[in-house]
Amino acid sequence: MNLSKLKQQICLLAALLCSLLQPVFAFGVQQFIYADQSATDTKQSMVIVGQSNASIFVAANESKGVLRAAQDLQDDLQAVTGQKLPLINDLTTASGNVIVIATIGQSQLLKQLEQAAKINLTAIDNQWDAYQIQLANDISPKIKKALIIAGSNKRGAIYGTYDISEQAGVSPWYYWADIPVKKSKTLFSQLHKPIVEIPKVKYRGIFLNDEAPALTNWVNKNFGGYNHQFYVNVFELMLRLKANYLWPAMWNNAFADDDRQNMVLADEYGIVMGTSHHEPMMRADKEWDRDGEGEWQYSTNRQNLYQFWQRGVKRNAPYESLYTLGMRGREDSAMQEGENIKLLEQIVADQRRILAKQIKDKNLQDIPQVWCLYKEVQAFYEKGMRVPDDVILLWADDNWGNIRRLPTQAEQARSGGAGVYYHFDYVGGPRSYRWINVTPIAKIWEQMNQAYIFNANQIWITNVGDLKPMEYPTEFFLKMAWDPTDFNQNNLDAYGIDWATRYFGSQYAEQINQLVKTYTRHNQRRKPELMSADVYSQIHYNEADRIEQELNEAVALAESLYHKIDKTRQDAFFQLVLHPVKATAIVSKLYFATAKNRLYAMQGRVNANKYATLARTLFAKDAALKAEYDSINQGKWQHFMDQPHIGYNNWNNPAADTLPVLYEYQPHPSAEMGLTVEGSAASFPDTGSFNLEFDSMGLAKRGIELYNRGLTPYKFNVQTSADWIKLNHLNGEVTDHLQLQVSIDWRKLPAGQHKGSISIKGTSWQAAQIHITANKAPQKLTQKATGFVEADGYVAINAANFSQANTVEGYRWQVIKGLGRTADTISVFPKSYRTFDIRDDHPVVEYPVSFFSTGQFAVEIQALPTLSYFPDRTPKLGISVNNGPVRVIELDLSTKKPAWGAAVSEGIRKIKTNIVIDKAGQHTIQLHNLDLSVGVERILIDTGGLKPSYLGPPESQFK
């Protein structure tokens, strides 16, 4: 076995075992709530529900959001234990044990406890959204023990309160994903020292976007519109996930205008409201239709726009807001005035005048403001436009999860800092993707980790589309935003197991994690909306069938687990696991069946129509699965799967799911032989001659498929030109189709190339001729072969399976678990602004390869579709053979490059180069890191036989 593979398996096993031994809440706040007192140290614990119940104390002068969270805690603990704890505002009425919820600066009790040295809150004082949880004894003559939740502000207190709820057994997704409450008769708290939580990203948020038809239809059915009755459910979820920043739904909606209670309650709950990248000054796009006058052009309609924005700021001034500056065109389009930097600078200056005038209780530089450098707006910045330093620069990804730009070292000096706007959903080119989760958490981690490293830490906001079904990536994104240092390239599997354990128990957690990885990895390969019958190869490397088998196994496992888990968790399991697994598989298999139907009809196969029927069946299954989603929990989530996703033919979705065009073959009633060979779309009798090539180091068997072009069975006979050509059948009868397996008896051949033939006679006077080429490698080379072995005209290497990697100044190639279309990805860590010169020491990774061919060979390096983060550099990668000259390759991918569309559609950047192998035998392929942003998944070397396919061939044999 490859030593690197063995090491990786050992490390993964260790990580999994470690994760299973850790508390349930391994990713996030340490565990401090327990159901069983036997698991606690009674000296450092407090009974919450047991022989006697604690009270919940929150002072009457606390903010409405804190009071509401305290009420939620009372309800949550009652749902868990059946006991309703007293909720009190007067501490003098309490005795025994008490849960104290309080905010620094608001709470007289916290001040008194600090003065009495019962607590010390200096760690969170003056921090943003921070909180501290600790046990304190004898805080009053009648109170023996207190579990104190102290917030640095109202959100901090709220977050700490919801931590109790979650650890007691109420999931943040209890409403939005029907996660059942975990019941317990008793609850205890144990803490040996205070828990201190301070977020590392200031504004952590979501954007409800592209919300029609799915979310809008659901909202209209259940709430009659985007009103406060809907939004309070969003606010609560966000707070339970420790988010604080929201861009509301805006396609045909206006948050503050649709329902004036929306902004009032957002502020009460503790949600900082913003507006999207193209909606300045807290005014929704649609408000211009209701409250604007004239054209949306500042060059010709400055006064009306100025007054429109002024009214928006005046309306929102009493509430906590983050103001978007700048201007784009209506409905998220570019400005009609083009790249008029002078005009845009005037717009920003005028907007800041409005803020200074309307918000009188803050200095201008203390009013939160953001300039979103989305799409063409980034070009304004690159051409010299600047905004005042106190404005946050919000860099964006390319809408496909690849960040376009990060702060340079010089830009880090700006007082406003920077952030990132990310996407799980998008409407636009090359193709919209809106239906289902397509983003592996490893992809999110790889990108957002670098955002954090380079101090883009003021705002992390992600487009979650309809919110459902993006529950899994949304939770990961927000957990990572709270503390990115909790995550690394090696513990993402442990996170997935932790997530599954929290929601479905530990018994099947590892399998559930694998299911989520399987469907998200597949969707990252090719998003469902970009699927077609032409994507995966039907004739090379058994590619489509291998993928279909992988998906079938995932569906079988998911359905098995669905029936094994507790019935109370089945609705949640359906939403979070079973549905996305099945939905992904059904759509992919629909296109696989379509591809077979078209290919087989062109070849004249009698079974071509069977695949047309299968395609129609799968199309109906997709609709039936949607109906099943609509029906769960008495129809609670009806409409969330309304998004069309089958039958795209341009960037935008079809009006409704559309069955792909299918072919019909009308077989005649007679018998007629049809034949094709592995790796060929041509067929007999249209083609009479075929080729099959064998390599002594490659696949042992290749296939010839006999099929019927008519309805009457026929007999066939096979003749071979040499006894070293072996078949599993030399004669027989074909009704529908029959697979012949061809192999070579290598013992009968000396080294070298050998020619032979197979003749197959069926119903025609003409026999099909299959020309056989057998290449036997010299024994002296095969005995010495080590590493990845050339065979069948190629070498395929999964980059994570390297044999050796050096370390330079602490930098080293390492594996990112779970990131890649077929295998894991490697990149160099740690991340920094450091670059390497090819002439100096730099990180190198090595792969031993045994070649039997010589010459100049084409190489395809499959790399992450990472964009150039910094304007002053182009990412580079080097490749060499046997420590020879390094061929340096520029990875200058940007949204302006033609290669970008292919890269994001395929989920990989394919880089072409070549190497020279001057003699057969053992060699070492080396990858040279020159820029730390580069990630590599696969290396494909074409020695003369590499065939076209979407993913490339399976990895070469390793000896």
Side-chain angles (χ1 to χ4, degrees):
M1 176 182 285
N2 182 348
L3 182 59
S4 178
K5 286 182 178 178
L6 179 60
K7 287 180 179 178
Q8 289 173 36
Q9 291 180 8
I10 293 172
C11 290
L12 176 59
L13 179 60
L16 295 180
L17 290 174
C18 181
S19 71
L20 294 175
L21 293 173
Q22 290 175 340
V24 171
F25 296 86
F27 290 84
V29 181
Q30 72 179 67
Q31 188 168 356
F32 67 99
I33 301 294
Y34 297 85
D36 184 356
Q37 191 173 21
S38 66
T40 69
D41 177 354
T42 56
K43 293 182 179 180
Q44 301 291 333
S45 67
M46 185 188 94
V47 176
I48 296 174
V49 176
Q51 291 183 342
S52 61
N53 295 341
S55 301
I56 301 171
F57 167 72
V58 58
N61 69 331
E62 287 286 349
S63 69
K64 291 182 179 180
V66 174
L67 294 171
R68 182 178 286 107
Q71 179 65 64
D72 284 348
L73 178 62
Q74 182 188 46
D75 295 341
D76 290 345
L77 295 182
Q78 184 175 13
V80 171
T81 66
Q83 302 291 313
K84 187 173 185 178
L85 273 59
L87 179 59
I88 60 175
N89 303 123
D90 183 357
L91 198 60
T92 62
T93 64
S95 62
N97 297 339
V98 64
I99 298 171
V100 173
I101 303 169
T103 308
I104 294 174
Q106 195 77 17
S107 170
Q108 187 65 26
L109 175 62
L110 291 182
K111 185 176 180 179
Q112 292 170 353
L113 292 175
E114 280 204 285
Q115 291 173 343
K118 294 287 185 179
I119 60 174
N120 184 344
L121 301 177
T122 55
I124 65 167
D125 198 13
N126 295 316
Q127 296 289 335
W128 172 266
D129 285 4
Y131 61 96
Q132 183 168 309
I133 303 174
Q134 72 178 88
L135 285 172
N137 297 320
D138 303 320
I139 68 169
S140 78
K142 294 192 297 182
I143 297 175
K144 182 179 179 182
K145 291 186 177 181
L147 177 63
I148 298 174
I149 312 298
S152 65
N153 59 11
K154 65 181 178 183
R155 275 188 298 275
I158 292 167
Y159 296 150
T161 301
Y162 283 137
D163 277 350
I164 300 175
S165 293
E166 183 173 9
Q167 294 198 17
V170 179
S171 165
W173 297 96
Y174 77 93
Y175 172 80
W176 282 100
D178 299 321
I179 303 291
V181 171
K182 185 178 180 181
K183 301 290 186 177
S184 177
K185 292 183 179 180
T186 58
L187 287 175
F188 303 85
S189 178
Q190 176 179 280
L191 269 174
H192 294 281
K193 62 180 182 179
I195 295 172
V196 175
E197 288 290 322
I198 305 171
K200 290 186 167 59
V201 176
K202 186 172 185 179
Y203 295 103
R204 310 165 303 281
I206 61 173
F207 179 20
L208 299 177
N209 192 217
D210 310 327
E211 63 270 19
L215 180 61
T216 295
N217 288 346
W218 180 79
V219 166
N220 287 340
K221 176 195 171 190
N222 291 280
F223 302 102
Y226 285 92
N227 52 39
H228 72 276
Q229 293 173 311
F230 160 71
Y231 271 111
V232 293
N233 294 291
V234 177
F235 300 157
E236 183 187 329
L237 172 68
M238 292 176 64
L239 292 170
R240 287 179 183 264
L241 294 173
K242 296 187 174 68
N244 63 359
Y245 181 42
L246 176 65
W247 288 357
M250 42 66 64
W251 263 27
N252 198 32
N253 314 293
F255 179 81
D257 195 58
D258 290 340
D259 181 347
R260 291 304 173 100
Q261 283 298 301
N262 282 346
M263 60 184 179
V264 173
L265 289 174
D267 190 69
E268 286 185 8
Y269 270 78
I271 300 301
V272 181
M273 289 305 302
T275 44
S276 71
H277 52 280
H278 72 102
E279 298 177 299
M281 304 296 280
M282 296 304 299
R283 303 227 66 172
D285 181 84
K286 295 303 176 186
E287 286 190 77
W288 182 251
D289 298 328
R290 309 174 188 180
D291 187 34
E293 184 177 341
E295 293 183 302
W296 182 265
Q297 292 192 94
Y298 209 71
S299 58
T300 60
N301 197 25
R302 177 183 178 186
Q303 183 177 358
N304 285 326
L305 278 160
Y306 189 99
Q307 292 174 353
F308 172 74
W309 291 333
Q310 187 167 256
R311 291 193 295 274
V313 175
K314 183 177 181 179
R315 177 186 64 194
N316 278 78
Y319 311 113
E320 196 173 8
S321 306
L322 177 49
Y323 290 88
T324 299
L325 302 184
M327 185 177 183
R328 295 187 78 222
R330 292 296 309 277
E331 299 182 346
D332 202 8
S333 60
M335 284 179 63
Q336 294 183 30
E337 291 93 340
E339 292 185 0
N340 190 333
I341 291 175
K342 185 176 180 180
L343 175 63
L344 194 54
E345 287 176 334
Q346 180 187 353
I347 290 170
V348 171
D350 285 352
Q351 290 169 340
R352 283 171 63 84
R353 288 189 192 97
I354 293 171
L355 292 172
K357 181 179 179 181
Q358 296 297 325
I359 302 177
K360 298 180 174 62
D361 60 341
K362 292 181 182 177
N363 294 323
L364 179 59
Q365 63 269 24
D366 296 326
I367 300 171
Q369 302 159 63
V370 58
W371 184 33
C372 187
L373 299 159
Y374 180 71
K375 283 190 175 180
E376 82 287 341
V377 181
Q378 183 174 323
F380 299 165
Y381 186 90
E382 291 168 347
K383 292 179 179 180
M385 179 180 168
R386 294 294 181 266
V387 294
D389 275 6
D390 57 86
V391 177
I392 301 168
L393 297 181
L394 187 61
W395 301 104
D397 68 356
D398 61 354
N399 302 303
W400 293 73
N402 306 295
I403 298 172
R404 296 176 65 192
R405 178 79 147 69
L406 288 171
T408 64
Q409 288 173 289
E411 288 163 348
Q412 288 198 30
R414 297 181 70 261
S415 59
V420 171
Y421 167 36
Y422 203 73
H423 284 77
F424 300 153
D425 162 290
Y426 178 58
V427 171
R431 187 72 60 82
S432 300
Y433 62 97
R434 305 167 55 194
W435 170 54
I436 203 167
N437 177 24
V438 297
T439 310
I441 62 169
K443 173 72 172 179
I444 302 169
W445 176 84
E446 186 268 338
Q447 289 287 292
M448 298 310 297
N449 175 62
Q450 295 186 81
Y452 178 69
I453 294 295
F454 296 116
N455 284 328
N457 56 12
Q458 290 298 296
I459 300 173
W460 283 16
I461 187 164
T462 185
N463 184 331
V464 299
D466 300 313
L467 183 57
K468 294 179 69 68
M470 306 300 179
E471 301 96 335
Y472 185 66
T474 297
E475 180 171 350
F476 178 82
F477 183 90
L478 293 174
K479 276 187 175 291
M480 190 176 174
W482 183 264
D483 190 352
T485 65
D486 279 346
F487 302 89
N488 60 63
Q489 63 269 29
N490 296 312
N491 72 358
L492 300 176
D493 268 320
Y495 171 80
I497 293 170
D498 174 77
W499 174 85
T501 300
R502 283 187 281 121
Y503 296 153
F504 304 109
S506 61
Q507 185 174 4
Y508 306 114
E510 187 173 351
Q511 292 166 296
I512 291 170
N513 175 54
Q514 289 302 319
L515 287 171
V516 175
K517 284 177 63 178
T518 295
Y519 92 76
T520 54
R521 182 194 291 272
H522 180 72
N523 288 338
Q524 180 69 13
R525 291 169 179 156
R526 191 83 176 186
K527 294 174 174 51
E529 292 87 344
L530 281 96
M531 275 293 290
S532 72
D534 303 322
V535 173
Y536 290 96
S537 178
Q538 293 288 332
I539 59 177
H540 293 138
Y541 307 120
N542 201 30
E543 183 175 66
D545 290 343
R546 284 190 292 113
I547 299 301
E548 184 168 356
Q549 179 63 25
E550 175 186 293
L551 295 174
N552 284 340
E553 290 172 359
V555 170
L557 176 59
E559 289 181 330
S560 172
L561 295 182
Y562 174 79
H563 293 292
K564 290 179 180 178
I565 65 172
D566 189 278
K567 290 187 181 300
T568 63
R569 297 182 181 272
Q570 286 181 337
D571 278 353
F573 186 85
F574 179 86
Q575 293 166 63
L576 299 177
V577 183
L578 180 58
H579 175 269
V581 169
K582 289 185 72 172
T584 297
I586 287 170
V587 170
S588 297
K589 291 167 62 176
L590 165 61
Y591 286 108
F592 295 159
T594 300
K596 282 185 169 62
N597 162 255
R598 294 175 182 177
L599 175 63
Y600 292 178
M602 295 296 291
Q603 292 175 337
R605 298 194 189 202
V606 71
N607 63 350
N609 296 338
K610 178 180 78 172
Y611 288 95
T613 299
L614 177 58
R616 293 187 183 97
T617 299
L618 288 163
F619 187 74
K621 282 187 175 182
D622 177 83
L625 187 63
K626 175 190 179 300
E628 185 177 0
Y629 196 105
D630 285 347
S631 71
I632 59 172
N633 201 355
Q634 291 79 51
K636 179 180 178 181
W637 304 117
Q638 184 182 10
H639 294 304
F640 263 106
M641 287 298 126
D642 283 0
Q643 176 61 45
H645 50 277
I646 301 173
Y648 277 69
N649 55 30
N650 57 60
W651 68 269
N652 202 10
N653 61 261
D657 288 325
T658 307
L659 182 69
V661 173
L662 300 170
Y663 295 174
E664 181 179 2
Y665 173 69
Q666 185 62 52
H668 52 69
S670 302
E672 183 181 4
M673 184 180 83
L675 177 149
T676 190
V677 304
E678 179 180 322
S680 175
S683 62
F684 180 88
D686 295 337
T687 300
S689 180
F690 302 86
N691 296 291
L692 282 178
E693 189 165 350
F694 289 83
D695 187 324
S696 60
M697 303 301 294
L699 287 178
K701 296 179 180 179
R702 298 200 178 274
I704 301 172
E705 189 154 15
L706 296 174
Y707 58 86
N708 205 335
R709 294 171 61 88
L711 299 176
T712 302
Y714 68 86
K715 295 184 183 298
F716 71 93
N717 287 284
V718 179
Q719 291 185 337
T720 64
S721 66
D723 63 354
W724 49 265
I725 302 173
K726 302 294 183 181
L727 288 94
N728 61 337
H729 297 287
L730 293 178
N731 54 65
E733 185 175 83
V734 176
T735 300
D736 188 307
H737 65 96
L738 178 70
Q739 186 81 12
L740 301 182
Q741 295 289 340
V742 185
S743 60
I744 306 299
D745 187 345
W746 297 105
R747 297 170 300 175
K748 296 181 178 181
L749 296 176
Q753 186 178 87
H754 305 272
K755 300 285 188 179
S757 64
I758 299 172
S759 179
I760 302 179
K761 187 74 169 63
T763 56
S764 171
W765 60 268
Q766 178 188 10
Q769 302 296 320
I770 298 94
H771 302 286
I772 304 296
T773 302
N775 297 299
K776 185 173 182 180
Q779 187 176 12
K780 64 179 181 179
L781 291 178
T782 60
Q783 289 178 338
K784 294 180 180 179
T786 58
F788 294 97
V789 179
E790 177 198 356
D792 296 327
Y794 68 86
V795 179
I797 301 169
N798 293 341
N801 294 327
F802 54 83
S803 61
Q804 188 172 332
N806 68 334
T807 301
V808 177
E809 301 173 18
Y811 295 93
R812 181 184 178 87
W813 286 96
Q814 296 181 38
V815 177
I816 304 174
K817 303 285 188 180
L819 180 59
R821 304 192 309 168
T822 59
D824 294 330
T825 294
I826 61 169
S827 189
V828 171
F829 293 91
K831 301 297 182 183
S832 75
Y833 288 104
R834 181 78 158 86
T835 58
F836 293 93
D837 192 288
I838 197 64
R839 296 165 293 186
D840 301 325
D841 286 344
H842 55 272
V844 178
V845 69
E846 296 186 348
Y847 305 89
V849 180
S850 290
F851 287 95
F852 303 106
S853 306
T854 59
Q856 179 171 290
F857 300 138
V859 177
E860 178 179 287
I861 299 174
Q862 296 188 355
L864 297 180
T866 302
L867 306 180
S868 300
Y869 294 142
F870 308 113
D872 58 345
R873 69 175 68 167
T874 298
K876 297 180 178 68
L877 177 71
I879 186 170
S880 65
V881 179
N882 301 331
N883 295 309
V886 179
R887 182 179 293 272
V888 176
I889 311 160
E890 290 192 346
L891 282 69
D892 57 341
L893 187 65
S894 76
T895 56
K896 299 175 183 177
K897 298 275 185 178
W900 172 82
V904 297
S905 297
E906 296 177 356
I908 205 78
R909 173 80 186 281
K910 296 178 179 178
I911 307 156
K912 307 294 185 181
T913 187
N914 58 72
I915 60 172
V916 174
I917 301 298
D918 55 7
K919 65 177 182 178
Q922 298 167 307
H923 298 269
T924 301
I925 305 297
Q926 293 142 329
L927 291 182
H928 302 255
N929 182 271
L930 306 175
D931 187 286
L932 301 179
S933 67
V934 174
V936 178
E937 183 188 349
R938 304 198 81 199
I939 306 166
L940 305 181
I941 305 170
D942 184 0
T943 60
L946 186 65
K947 303 296 191 296
S949 64
Y950 187 67
L951 299 174
E955 187 175 36
S956 296
Q957 175 189 0
F958 188 91
K959 292 185 67 176

